[in-house]
Amino acid sequence: MRAEPVLLSRDAEGLFWMARYLERVENLARLIDVVQSFESPGREAESWSALVAIMSDQDKFETAEGAGDPETVRRFYLLDQTNPTSIPFCLEYARTNARTLRPLISTEMWRQINVFHRFVAQIQPCDLEGDRLSRLCNRIKESVQTHTGITEGTMYRDQGWQFYQLGRLIERADQTTRLLDIKYRLLVPRDREARRLTELTMWNAVLRAAAGYHAFKRLARAEFSAEDVAGFLLRDPSFPRSVLLSVRRAEYHLDELRRIHHLPHANDAIEQAEYLREFLLERPMQEVLEGDLHGYLDRVQILLSELAGATGRAFFRDWRPGATTAPEEQGQGQGQVQVQTA
Amino acid sequence: MDNERTEIFADYAPQQFFCELTHARGDDGGVPTLVRERLERIGVEALRMRATAAETDLIDRGITFTVYSDATAIDRILPFDCIPRVITPSEWRQIEAGAIQRVTAINAFLGDIYHEAKIVKDGIIPADLVFGNANFRPEMRDFAVSHGTYVHVCGIDIIRNEMGEFRILEDNARTPSGVSYVIENRHLMLRAFPDLTSGVKLRPVDDYGRRLRAAMTEIAPGNVGDPQVVLLSPGIYNSAYFEHVFLAREMGVPLVQGSDLVVENDRVFMRTTSGLRRVHTIYRRLNDDFLDPEVFRPESMLGVPGLIRAWRAGNVALANAVGTGVADDKAVYAYMPRIIKYYLGEEPIIQNVQTNICREAEGLAYTLDHLDELVIKPVGESGGYGITIGPRASKAELETARAALIADPEQWISQPMIALSVAPTLTEEGIGPRHLDLRPFVITGRDTWVLPGGLTRVAMKQGSLIVNSSQGGGSKDTWVLAGGY
């Protein structure tokens, strides 16, 4: 038996991106579901154009009206195979990665992605109407959760697992910042009491979309504030979709790569994760909210993308090994010769 | 109800063709009868429902080949027919011995033509057929391969005539595919039709991955205890990609693409998360042309620059070796009986399909006299191009063929029309006879081993002789009975 199977850089990258795209699919389904619950009579356009804004997709619509037309937007994210931010596109990408990874992932993982992919490719315009939309979003969400469960139960815990987890966690943190951002993209009534009620509804919907509603209720005071919700989503130490916990877990997996799998190149990425974690805890939440929350979230997104970049430079395809020394084989049956990079 | 059930074979009529299930054979151990009884008991409707479920299972598992068009990718399965093809122990002994003999002769032939070329000097085979062949690789001259093995994996297409005699139709000595379906078909059979297989002693097919890995280890360049083997694939857009995945997994080796490999100091490495790792043996599923842009097609993005240099320096093994295509060429095929005799001093254990070599006066005369009975094939082409099927050709077409033969006889061979054997197959009209062939897979490292069975391809259309998957052909589980072993 070999101590540890080697992992191709390309496959490490494939695992990272497969996990990222699947996490993105789940979060997009959550976002669409929450937008639908924000939708109130006469104000549909606002809700759907908010979704377009947080996905940074405004440019892809010819007119502002198009970006606010519920049906157009729904089709854009649930049916359009050519839109890189749509669910079918992301799932196609995840499956293509899974296809290249078939020697590494379990047969059960591959089979489930394959069946899920077929389901999504067959979504019809009528599936986006009325109460069917919410059911569709739920089914998509649950399919990714099924994937997660199968993966947890069947995937071999070599370095590939660490890269899979990194992709998933970085994407999850990024998506949570977007979910929080959506609240700030929506207009609220000027009247104080109406505004309080509207905001309460919105926060509840955001928490529900993030599957954090009940946990939050157990923690929060009866009269909770925006600060409490933002703080919960950004830096609760135990909430599985909080940005802080995702970053901490990413840090853990990078550390595993260094300690257990002896990959010294993990250091840069670890430093990047440490910096991001400190950034999240640096300022009191109240100060963040009084300032520019959107700008703050943007900054978190940039730091996450830098973390992904550092991981890529250390291990993936764009990582070019430095000067190599190629020691002659000694012929003593010690297995393959490992070439250390300078 | 019972009456209805017993009718499933009532209309089954193989006519003059040899039937692989209903033709009684002394050592069939009663298995064909047992299979028929079991099929009767299941009934045609239930059989159909279970066959449909089995095919859905193949799609879900992604046991597919992918057909790409402009914007869409369509995953197709190789249609699976649930009625097995049965090979008896004595039939298998002949196929196995014939396949080993064939591969041994092909390897001897390749070793000879890339060194002294005695067979050419002795006048057994014309020089231009060998050296003028598009698949002859001058780069291979005077290069010694380990154990003298050039063709590590060979697929031999075997058919059976009306008399029940086996005949070799074609050798596939480059990168033959299909073995994954042999193994997946058996798994599917056991999963979906356990009541058909129950209690029948079959030769297992699960040993292929281990045997292949062992052969790849045997050919690795010197003195490495645990050589690193990889499978080199053109990638997910290749129609045989599923098979590449399957074999990499069965062997337990990395599935690499050209971009994963790099050559430094004439050594091959793969890019891993922990740096460059040395590679010792490459089972490549990439054609010669694409292997190394420094030597072959400069525009190839699929290959590895410097690979051939590393190979010639003896630092990496390639399976199959470069330049094996000269041995499975149609023109050279015609000489195979003579090649076997020349190197092994034996008669072929399985004959070729009778082939008239038109560059020889006798072959040309016979062909011209029997034009309307023969299939006329150009030697240089593959994939069925330029073929004239005498019995189905018009007068004008026959005259065109005659003129071409007389003008340039060296470009042609001719063969009789062959009545391929049949086996009962589940069709929309019920169970009917369909034509089939057999591709056994032969692995050679130090020694040669044949996977018991092989890929049985079946033409799903009535009367059709074309078994290719691209033409709507399907496949069957191939049972080699274990009795006598």
Side-chain angles (χ1 to χ4, degrees):
Chain A
M1 297 290 279
R2 287 166 195 228
E4 158 111 28
V6 294
L7 183 65
L8 292 173
S9 294
R10 181 172 52 84
D11 288 338
E13 188 176 22
L15 284 161
F16 181 88
W17 281 104
M18 179 181 75
R20 261 198 103 145
Y21 274 98
L22 282 161
E23 182 70 20
R24 194 171 292 178
V25 166
E26 177 179 337
N27 280 282
L28 198 45
R30 288 178 180 279
L31 273 173
I32 293 169
D33 206 18
V34 78
V35 166
Q36 143 137 313
S37 5
F38 279 153
E39 207 183 49
S40 50
R43 309 193 41 186
E44 297 90 347
E46 276 170 31
S47 314
W48 292 98
S49 65
L51 176 62
V52 173
I54 64 157
M55 300 298 293
S56 315
D57 281 335
Q58 297 97 320
D59 299 350
K60 294 181 193 151
F61 291 84
E62 282 178 21
T63 60
E65 290 78 46
D69 176 50
E71 194 174 308
T72 310
V73 177
R74 283 198 291 258
R75 288 185 180 206
F76 185 65
Y77 290 115
L78 285 159
L79 288 176
D80 191 341
Q81 312 258 2
T82 62
N83 164 28
T85 54
S86 78
I87 284 177
F89 185 96
C90 291
L91 197 58
E92 180 71 41
Y93 208 94
R95 179 170 175 265
T96 302
N97 273 299
R99 196 195 272 279
T100 70
L101 294 164
R102 277 177 72 181
L104 300 179
I105 62 178
S106 67
T107 307
E108 290 156 57
M109 283 170 73
W110 163 249
R111 185 191 169 106
Q112 192 266 341
I113 290 177
N114 211 26
V115 174
F116 179 26
H117 172 265
R118 198 170 59 224
F119 162 72
V120 166
Q122 287 167 355
I123 297 174
Q124 299 299 316
C126 61
D127 296 324
L128 315 186
E129 284 163 18
D131 62 326
R132 299 177 73 175
L133 178 63
S134 186
R135 265 184 289 158
L136 175 65
C137 289
N138 257 301
R139 172 139 183 213
I140 292 169
K141 190 182 72 186
E142 282 177 7
S143 294
V144 181
Q145 290 171 330
T146 304
H147 158 81
T148 309
I150 291 173
T151 304
E152 199 280 330
T154 62
M155 192 172 166
Y156 188 65
R157 300 302 201 265
D158 61 358
Q159 349 167 349
W161 168 256
Q162 317 290 351
F163 287 108
Y164 172 91
Q165 291 294 338
L166 280 169
R168 146 150 299 182
L169 291 163
I170 290 172
E171 182 68 22
R172 181 176 289 181
D174 181 79
Q175 292 293 338
T176 298
T177 63
R178 288 172 198 274
L179 194 61
L180 188 55
D181 206 16
I182 199 169
K183 160 72 183 64
Y184 275 80
R185 293 279 180 174
L186 293 167
L187 295 177
V188 286
R190 281 167 191 272
D191 171 80
R192 201 184 153 84
E193 180 59 13
R195 180 181 184 158
R196 193 186 67 80
L197 286 173
T198 308
E199 288 204 326
L200 182 66
T201 312
M202 285 178 175
W203 283 126
N204 285 343
V206 165
L207 285 165
R208 283 207 167 90
Y213 182 75
H214 291 290
F216 177 79
K217 288 280 156 164
R218 281 163 60 200
L219 289 167
R221 295 163 286 133
E223 291 295 318
F224 65 85
S225 64
E227 190 186 317
D228 296 329
V229 182
F232 180 75
L233 292 175
L234 284 174
R235 54 195 203 190
D236 185 88
S238 308
F239 173 54
R241 311 194 83 80
S242 89
V243 178
L244 181 69
L245 184 58
S246 300
V247 172
R248 276 193 179 149
R249 287 179 60 201
E251 219 178 317
Y252 165 80
H253 290 288
L254 285 166
D255 195 50
E256 291 277 289
L257 286 173
R258 178 171 59 180
R259 281 188 319 110
I260 313 287
H261 306 286
H262 310 292
L263 302 184
H265 306 285
N267 285 342
D268 276 0
I270 292 175
E271 278 172 25
Q272 188 68 37
E274 279 169 358
Y275 178 77
L276 174 51
R277 177 164 50 80
E278 281 159 17
F279 177 84
L280 286 167
L281 294 170
E282 214 169 43
R283 292 161 64 196
M285 211 64 245
Q286 194 182 354
E287 190 188 312
V288 171
L289 285 181
E290 281 164 2
D292 171 18
L293 178 69
H294 177 70
Y296 179 84
L297 295 173
D298 258 1
R299 179 82 188 122
V300 174
Q301 286 165 16
I302 288 166
L303 289 173
L304 283 165
S305 127
E306 283 172 5
L307 172 59
T311 307
R313 276 191 302 282
F315 307 108
F316 301 159
R317 212 199 291 248
D318 48 351
W319 166 61
R320 287 286 171 265
T324 56
T325 50
E328 289 300 316
E329 274 130 309
Q330 303 302 307
Q332 280 141 22
Q334 293 172 334
Q336 67 267 46
V337 174
Q338 183 177 350
V339 179
Q340 294 297 338
T341 56
Chain B
M1 194 65 190
D2 276 342
N3 281 345
E4 199 182 314
R5 281 182 181 176
T6 55
E7 274 171 11
I8 97 168
F9 273 94
D11 297 332
Y12 183 74
Q15 298 170 312
Q16 77 270 34
F17 306 112
F18 186 92
C19 178
E20 302 284 353
L21 192 74
T22 59
H23 193 104
R25 286 154 285 177
D27 62 339
D28 65 21
V31 171
T33 312
L34 186 70
V35 168
R36 285 172 65 182
E37 284 168 6
R38 287 175 172 182
L39 290 169
E40 300 275 7
R41 217 171 301 143
I42 295 169
V44 80
E45 282 314 309
L47 212 50
R48 242 185 224 127
M49 280 167 57
R50 287 165 66 178
T52 306
E55 294 201 333
T56 306
D57 190 45
L58 287 180
I59 294 170
D60 289 351
R61 285 167 187 263
I63 299 173
T64 49
F65 58 95
T66 310
V67 182
Y68 289 91
S69 65
D70 298 341
T72 54
I74 304 154
D75 288 330
R76 295 230 176 101
I77 55 165
L78 182 59
F80 172 74
D81 183 69
C82 58
I83 307 176
R85 181 240 191 103
V86 174
I87 296 176
T88 71
S90 64
E91 287 172 341
W92 180 248
R93 277 195 293 275
Q94 191 200 352
I95 293 169
E96 189 179 41
I100 292 173
Q101 180 192 51
R102 194 92 175 179
V103 170
T104 308
I106 287 174
N107 278 315
F109 171 69
L110 288 166
D112 184 22
I113 62 166
Y114 285 122
H115 288 86
E116 291 131 90
K118 284 189 206 147
I119 195 168
V120 177
K121 288 173 191 151
D122 288 342
I124 308 295
I125 187 166
D128 66 304
L129 258 192
V130 176
F131 305 121
N133 194 304
N135 295 303
F136 181 84
R137 298 287 179 191
E139 300 85 2
M140 283 297 296
R141 277 197 167 122
D142 300 320
F143 176 66
V145 296
S146 48
H147 311 296
T149 303
Y150 290 79
V151 180
H152 308 88
V153 179
C154 192
I156 299 177
D157 291 352
I158 297 177
I159 57 171
R160 206 165 195 192
N161 63 20
E162 285 151 301
M163 319 288 292
E165 295 160 333
F166 292 111
R167 291 284 181 265
I168 291 177
L169 185 63
E170 198 172 287
D171 304 292
N172 296 278
R174 299 174 218 192
T175 52
S177 62
V179 71
S180 56
Y181 292 102
V182 177
I183 298 154
E184 288 291 355
N185 281 353
R186 175 64 52 82
H187 290 168
L188 184 60
M189 181 57 93
L190 293 172
R191 232 175 15 243
F193 297 92
D195 42 350
L196 280 184
T197 51
S198 164
V200 181
K201 287 202 176 66
L202 301 178
R203 300 283 305 273
V205 294
D206 284 325
D207 208 22
Y208 191 84
R210 190 186 67 81
R211 292 278 187 168
L212 185 59
R213 169 86 181 256
M216 297 301 105
T217 303
E218 283 165 16
I219 64 169
N223 289 332
V224 188
D226 182 16
Q228 178 70 57
V229 178
V230 299
L231 191 153
L232 174 61
S233 164
I236 58 167
Y237 298 107
N238 187 274
S239 62
Y241 180 71
F242 163 71
E243 177 151 305
H244 306 163
V245 169
F246 178 90
L247 292 174
R249 219 164 34 193
E250 290 293 308
M251 284 196 286
V253 306
L255 177 64
V256 305
Q257 299 176 10
S259 60
D260 296 321
L261 299 182
V262 57
V263 177
E264 287 184 9
N265 302 323
D266 290 349
R267 285 170 177 76
V268 182
F269 299 90
M270 58 181 171
R271 297 175 209 272
T272 78
T273 52
S274 56
L276 295 183
R277 291 286 189 110
R278 180 76 189 273
V279 169
H280 301 97
T281 301
I282 301 175
Y283 176 38
R284 49 98 172 199
R285 296 292 299 257
L286 204 58
N287 291 339
D288 286 358
D289 277 358
F290 294 95
L291 275 179
D292 182 350
E294 286 183 8
V295 180
F296 306 116
R297 292 187 181 207
E299 78 281 11
S300 169
M301 302 296 286
L302 301 173
V304 187
L307 181 59
I308 297 298
R309 249 191 300 121
W311 187 46
R312 289 204 57 109
N315 291 328
V316 70
L318 285 180
N320 290 351
V322 173
T324 58
V326 66
D328 68 9
D329 181 272
K330 273 203 191 67
V332 174
Y333 162 85
Y335 290 85
M336 275 309 293
R338 301 178 201 181
I339 290 171
I340 291 171
K341 181 99 180 158
Y342 182 76
Y343 293 110
L344 310 178
E346 297 168 5
E347 292 302 321
I349 295 168
I350 307 175
Q351 298 287 342
N352 263 12
V353 170
Q354 182 208 324
T355 302
N356 309 297
I357 303 169
C358 299
R359 65 161 64 223
E360 296 176 355
E362 200 184 330
L364 179 64
Y366 182 87
T367 304
L368 292 173
D369 284 351
H370 299 84
L371 213 50
D372 58 348
E373 299 162 21
L374 297 170
V375 181
I376 325 294
K377 296 180 175 177
V379 295
E381 305 282 338
S382 64
Y385 292 104
I387 290 180
T388 304
I389 299 174
R392 292 180 190 167
S394 68
K395 273 216 164 110
E397 283 166 340
L398 286 178
E399 287 318 304
T400 309
R402 182 184 300 279
L405 274 163
I406 293 166
D408 203 358
E410 297 185 359
Q411 293 302 312
W412 303 93
I413 58 164
S414 71
Q415 293 171 337
M417 282 278 280
I418 301 162
L420 301 189
S421 59
V422 295
T425 301
L426 185 63
T427 73
E428 283 181 14
E429 301 86 40
I431 289 177
R434 291 293 181 272
H435 293 291
L436 46 72
D437 75 352
L438 178 70
R439 176 180 289 184
F441 290 88
V442 188
I443 294 177
T444 309
R446 207 177 291 129
D447 308 303
T448 298
W449 175 79
V450 190
L451 174 69
L455 180 62
T456 292
R457 297 185 298 178
V458 53
M460 302 302 276
K461 284 185 211 131
Q462 188 165 12
S464 170
L465 295 170
I466 299 167
V467 296
N468 301 56
S469 57
S470 54
Q471 314 263 356
S475 69
K476 283 173 172 286
D477 188 18
T478 308
W479 292 9
V480 176
L481 303 181
Y485 277 87

